[in-house]
Amino acid sequence: MSFSLAAGAQSPPATGQSPPAAPQAQTLAQKPGTTLISLDDAIRLALQHNHNLLAARTTIQQSEAEEVTANLRPNPVLIGDAQFLPIFQPDQFSADYIDDTAQFDLGVSYLFERGKKRQHRLQAAKDVTAVTKSQVADNERTLSFNVASQFINVEMAESTLALAQQDLKSFRNTLDISESRYKAGDISEDDLLKIKLQMLQFQTDVSAAQLARVQGLSDLRQLLGYESVPADYDVAGAFDYQPVKGNLEDFEAAALKNRPDLQAAQQGVTAANSQYQLQKANGKRDATGQINYTHITYNTVSLFGQIQLPVFDRNQGEIARAGYGITQAQEQEKFANGQVLTDVRDAFENLHSNDQVIGLYRSGYLDAAQQSRDISEYAYRRGAASLLDFLDSERSYRSTQLAYRQALASYLLAVEQLRQAVGTRSLP
């Protein structure tokens, strides 16, 4: 299966005009000194400063510290005692008694681990660290998607605000002309009042778009790390359609290679096997060796050793549990593999659907709405069209433009969803 998601290759509008200009052409005025960030800047800042992600990254350091613990050898044990001291017969305390009757021991014992327990502990800890690193990478993937989604929401809010301000300015000119026509007796007072009431809708649109922009920037700032950008920052990006080319098989292959959650599941199988080997090693009984120096009349050295006889406890339960853990990890890996392919297919179909919707708007509907409004406005200003016709064309133009922006935002979000599903921002 192979096809190209490229609406730009569709037929031009019937009017012979080129596809409409991108919505971001209607830009908002920026205050001098405003900090502007692109989408790449936003993702970079989030990966550097997002506090939840920084907290998650400490789990890697914690896991690496566990590696140090796992690689430690047992400490030797120092043993000492003094026996047969005449505590209750202090009159017998003498140098001869201490030398001939009292006993003093000083020794060192050490636990000898069998079955390469330390090596298996270290390998198990390293495998857990590998899983942790992949899980943190998956957190980074999710954060990048959330930042991109919120960035697109801000772009849409700013594009909608620019459109609302443009419509308000244009309608104010219409209102001025209508007042002049009313004074000249060309229109009735009722028509003038209807136009003034219609102004309320444009003013409300501006207020709603301003609120959406402010809230969007605030939410994005929280994702970036509140201290990473100033309060008066703004986004700088191309809120425009950009075709994505590629086929489903390419995206699936890239996802199976790049998705960190799948890598974590695969590494989970390795970690489960390491735990199994560790539990088998723990079934080996350790030996303890001890050497003692003893003074009682004369000096002697004694050697001791002990080891458990694995008659009953051979760590059977933990070995069995670790074996089932391998099966569990393998099943989780299979599920993760299927989930990756499902995510890619869903994202691909979502992108394809939104691409078709964008293609419909760009094939002529935006042009038609613009021309209809311009014609109605021109005719109304010269008395050749009714007020109702003009207001209807104005509403149609505004609703079409808003719907296009929503469709464009949905398309851009679908692109980001595909990037998240594939596990890389560089789509094949």
Side-chain angles (χ1 to χ4, degrees):
M1 175 181 179
S2 175
F3 71 94
S4 172
L5 297 175
Q10 298 179 18
S11 301
T15 58
Q17 298 182 6
S18 59
Q24 84 278 2
Q26 303 164 350
T27 56
L28 300 174
Q30 302 289 347
K31 296 180 180 178
T34 299
T35 300
L36 300 177
I37 61 171
S38 64
L39 177 56
D40 290 339
D41 292 334
I43 293 175
R44 176 180 54 79
L45 288 171
L47 294 179
Q48 291 176 350
H49 301 285
N50 181 274
H51 295 294
N52 281 338
L53 181 59
L54 293 178
R57 283 175 178 161
T58 64
T59 60
I60 298 177
Q61 298 167 323
Q62 296 173 41
S63 185
E64 290 172 341
E66 290 293 332
E67 293 180 27
V68 176
T69 301
N71 198 37
L72 296 177
R73 292 179 170 84
N75 287 322
V77 179
L78 180 63
I79 303 169
D81 67 73
Q83 302 181 49
F84 311 120
L85 299 179
I87 301 298
F88 302 103
Q89 296 173 323
D91 56 317
Q92 295 186 15
F93 242 115
S94 65
D96 291 338
Y97 183 91
I98 295 298
D99 188 51
D100 297 334
T101 305
Q103 177 178 332
F104 299 93
D105 298 293
L106 182 65
V108 176
S109 70
Y110 186 77
L111 178 69
F112 294 92
E113 293 184 309
R114 299 177 62 241
K116 297 183 178 180
K117 290 185 178 65
R118 182 173 62 87
Q119 291 87 338
H120 286 300
R121 281 199 308 269
L122 178 59
Q123 186 59 52
K126 287 182 176 180
D127 291 339
V128 170
T129 300
V131 173
T132 303
K133 288 180 178 178
S134 293
Q135 290 172 339
V136 172
D138 194 52
N139 290 343
E140 294 174 353
R141 176 181 70 99
T142 301
L143 177 61
S144 297
F145 171 73
N146 292 337
V147 169
S149 300
Q150 189 59 41
F151 191 95
I152 292 170
N153 290 338
V154 174
E155 286 185 316
M156 178 183 173
E158 294 196 341
S159 180
T160 302
L161 176 58
L163 174 65
Q165 291 174 337
Q166 181 189 35
D167 288 344
L168 178 60
K169 180 180 178 181
S170 175
F171 202 79
R172 277 176 177 161
N173 294 334
T174 301
L175 178 59
D176 293 339
I177 294 174
S178 298
E179 288 178 341
S180 299
R181 291 183 61 191
Y182 169 71
K183 292 177 181 179
D186 291 340
I187 63 173
S188 66
E189 182 179 5
D190 182 53
D191 286 347
L192 178 62
L193 292 176
K194 288 179 179 178
I195 294 177
K196 287 184 176 180
L197 289 175
Q198 187 67 25
M199 177 70 76
L200 175 63
Q201 181 63 55
F202 289 98
Q203 293 171 330
T204 302
D205 288 347
V206 171
S207 297
Q210 288 173 336
L211 176 61
R213 174 180 178 272
V214 171
Q215 290 178 336
L217 286 170
S218 179
D219 293 343
L220 179 59
R221 186 184 184 190
Q222 179 65 20
L223 290 174
L224 302 183
Y226 196 80
E227 306 85 0
S228 64
V229 291
D232 60 346
Y233 84 105
D234 202 354
V235 300
F239 186 61
D240 194 9
Y241 170 78
Q242 295 179 348
V244 174
K245 298 182 179 180
N247 57 62
L248 181 60
E249 288 75 14
D250 290 339
F251 294 136
E252 288 178 337
L256 293 175
K257 178 181 178 181
N258 296 316
R259 280 280 290 263
D261 54 339
L262 177 58
Q263 293 173 0
Q266 293 168 343
Q267 291 162 344
V269 176
T270 302
N273 277 285
S274 295
Q275 285 294 329
Y276 179 74
Q277 296 301 324
L278 175 59
Q279 294 306 325
K280 288 181 64 177
N282 287 339
K284 303 292 184 180
R285 302 295 92 179
D286 297 332
T288 301
Q290 180 177 334
I291 181 171
N292 278 8
Y293 160 77
T294 301
H295 173 79
I296 177 172
T297 306
Y298 50 86
N299 300 321
T300 62
V301 172
S302 303
L303 299 177
F304 301 92
Q306 68 177 32
I307 186 173
Q308 287 186 6
L309 298 179
V311 177
F312 305 109
D313 180 6
R314 297 185 298 277
N315 205 37
Q316 305 97 310
E318 288 301 306
I319 293 174
R321 181 195 61 78
Y324 295 133
I326 294 176
T327 303
Q328 178 188 17
Q330 290 171 339
E331 294 298 329
Q332 290 173 337
E333 179 193 7
K334 293 177 182 178
F335 179 83
N337 189 88
Q339 186 65 59
V340 167
L341 297 178
T342 300
D343 290 347
V344 172
R345 179 174 289 274
D346 290 347
F348 183 79
E349 294 300 333
N350 184 35
L351 179 63
H352 178 48
S353 176
N354 282 279
D355 183 81
Q356 291 178 324
V357 173
I358 290 295
L360 291 175
Y361 278 101
R362 294 170 64 88
S363 66
Y365 288 107
L366 287 176
D367 247 2
Q370 176 75 48
Q371 292 175 7
S372 175
R373 189 195 69 161
D374 292 345
I375 292 172
S376 297
E377 183 179 10
Y378 181 85
Y380 172 73
R381 290 184 177 185
R382 284 155 181 78
S386 68
L387 173 63
L388 293 179
D389 289 339
F390 168 64
L391 294 181
D392 184 62
S393 66
E394 186 70 48
R395 283 192 295 269
S396 296
Y397 168 77
R398 187 171 71 251
S399 63
T400 302
Q401 287 289 338
L402 289 175
Y404 175 65
R405 280 158 175 75
Q406 292 170 351
L408 181 56
S410 296
Y411 172 81
L412 295 176
L413 287 173
V415 174
E416 293 302 329
Q417 183 183 0
L418 182 60
R419 284 173 172 157
Q420 183 198 31
V422 174
T424 177
R425 297 196 59 77
S426 300
L427 294 179

